[in-house]
């Protein structure tokens, strides 16, 4: 799996179905090479300071991609695009946690099941800056010091204040 920055002309030459993340006013372009059997996929995005986030699920069967305000997933066995979702706000982090994939934006958290169906969507009370796994829970750190704790199995959300 190799990410290479490319020109707009090279991006435009890619077959339409191979463009997995596309922005109307893109300033940057990249290709993601998934090997001989799956080929090359393209991405375009607007931010000049951000690079795409690329992670592989813990089962090693799905690659998750995110940049700016879009997230996508590709099946590594078939090369099929499993999901491509535009978001309301920029992605902060994508993380595989067991069989779940967590996508943190500045204002929301999304939890996806294997197969990319949505398990949970929650608006955040403050700007999310990081997520991590603690035991069976997911902890989301907020800009103002609050931590949002989510049990991914039950969907129960708990808030706690951290005093630094």
């Amino acid at each position: 799996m190799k990410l290479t920055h490319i020109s707009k002309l090279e991006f435009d030459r890619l077959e339409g179905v191979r463009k997995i993340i596309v922005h109307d006013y893109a300033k940057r372009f990249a290709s993601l090479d998934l090997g001989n059997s799956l080929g090359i996929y393209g991405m375009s995005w607007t931010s000049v300071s951000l690079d795409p986030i690329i992670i592989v699920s813990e089962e090693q069967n799905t690659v998750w991609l995110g940049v700016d305000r879009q997230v996508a997933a590709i099946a590594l066995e078939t090369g099929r695009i499993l999901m491509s979702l535009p978001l309301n706000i920029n992605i902060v982090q994508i993380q595989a946690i067991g069989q779940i994939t967590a996508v943190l934006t500045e204002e929301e958290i999304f939890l996806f099941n294997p197969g990319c169906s949505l398990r949970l969507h929650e608006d955040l009370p403050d700007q999310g800056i990081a997520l991590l796994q603690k035991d069976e829970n997911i902890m989301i750190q907020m800009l103002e010091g609050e931590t949002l704790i989510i049990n991914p199995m039950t969907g129960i959300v708990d808030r706690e204040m951290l005093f630094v």
Side-chain angles (χ1 to χ4, degrees), residues 42-72:
M43 293 180 276
S44 68
W45 65 99
T46 58
S47 175
V48 294
S49 61
L50 296 176
D51 282 325
I53 299 168
I54 302 171
I55 65 135
V56 177
S57 65
E58 288 193 6
E59 302 85 23
Q60 302 290 308
N61 62 357
T62 306
V63 62
W64 288 83
L65 312 146
V67 67
D68 282 345
R69 296 180 178 190
Q70 191 150 352
V71 64

Side-chain angles (χ1 to χ4, degrees), residues 20 64 71-74 80-85 103 112 115-117:
I20 52 173
W64 288 83
V71 64
I74 302 171
R80 196 175 116 223
I81 298 171
L82 300 172
M83 181 202 60
S84 183
L85 180 67
V103 177
F112 293 95
C116 302
S117 63

